[in-house]
């Protein structure tokens, strides 16, 4: 199956991660021929590099604690199950 721009854009993030279910060689061949798709892939790579370089601060301990508490509370609400039993006896 020949790769086109639509197929390339559908698999762009997987392509950049090199974690695709489609043929990477096909996507690479299309990228070599298509300037627009090549620019999109390069922009995604650059964005990821920028985010990794800039997003290295740790959240304050109080914020992390609050988030963990809220997640714990939320997951407890969602997983609470009430079980009731009915005992049946022979008379």
């Amino acid at each position: 199956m020949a790769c086109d721009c639509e197929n390339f854009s559908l698999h762009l993030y997987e392509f950049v991660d090199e974690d695709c279910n489609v043929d990477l060689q096909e996507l690479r061949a299309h990228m070599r021929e298509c300037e627009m798709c090549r620019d999109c892939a390069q922009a995604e790579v650059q964005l990821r590099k920028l985010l990794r370089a800039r997003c290295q601060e740790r959240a304050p301990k109080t914020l992390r604690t609050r988030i963990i508490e809220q997640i714990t509370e939320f997951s407890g609400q969602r997983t609470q199950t009430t079980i009731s039993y009915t005992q049946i006896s022979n008379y």
Side-chain angles (χ1 to χ4, degrees), residues 72-87:
T72 303
E73 180 182 325
F74 179 74
S75 64
Q77 290 173 359
R78 295 208 59 198
T79 60
Q80 261 182 351
T81 305
T82 303
I83 300 174
S84 61
Y85 295 95
T86 303
Q87 186 173 5

Side-chain angles (χ1 to χ4, degrees), residues 2-9 12 15 25-43:
C3 182
D4 57 17
C5 294
E6 183 178 352
N7 190 37
F8 186 84
S9 66
L12 173 63
F15 174 76
Q25 296 303 325
E26 214 173 83
L27 294 173
R28 285 188 184 111
H30 175 76
M31 192 177 73
R32 282 192 297 272
E33 300 295 320
C34 180
E35 183 178 0
M36 184 175 72
C37 289
R38 185 173 48 251
D39 289 347
C40 287
Q42 289 171 345

Side-chain angles (χ1 to χ4, degrees), residues 6-87:
E6 183 178 352
N7 190 37
F8 186 84
S9 66
L10 286 172
H11 299 287
L12 173 63
Y13 303 115
E14 297 166 288
F15 174 76
V16 172
D17 293 337
E18 294 185 352
D19 184 27
C20 272
N21 292 332
V22 296
D23 186 7
L24 281 173
Q25 296 303 325
E26 214 173 83
L27 294 173
R28 285 188 184 111
H30 175 76
M31 192 177 73
R32 282 192 297 272
E33 300 295 320
C34 180
E35 183 178 0
M36 184 175 72
C37 289
R38 185 173 48 251
D39 289 347
C40 287
Q42 289 171 345
E44 180 64 25
V45 168
Q46 292 303 316
L47 176 63
R48 290 176 183 206
K49 284 181 182 179
L50 179 66
L51 289 172
R52 272 193 297 277
R54 301 286 185 234
C55 299
Q56 294 190 9
E57 290 182 33
R58 279 186 69 106
K61 184 169 178 63
T62 55
L63 176 61
R64 290 194 318 269
T65 302
R66 241 181 35 234
I67 291 171
I68 290 169
E69 287 170 354
Q70 289 177 354
I71 290 171
T72 303
E73 180 182 325
F74 179 74
S75 64
Q77 290 173 359
R78 295 208 59 198
T79 60
Q80 261 182 351
T81 305
T82 303
I83 300 174
S84 61
Y85 295 95
T86 303
Q87 186 173 5

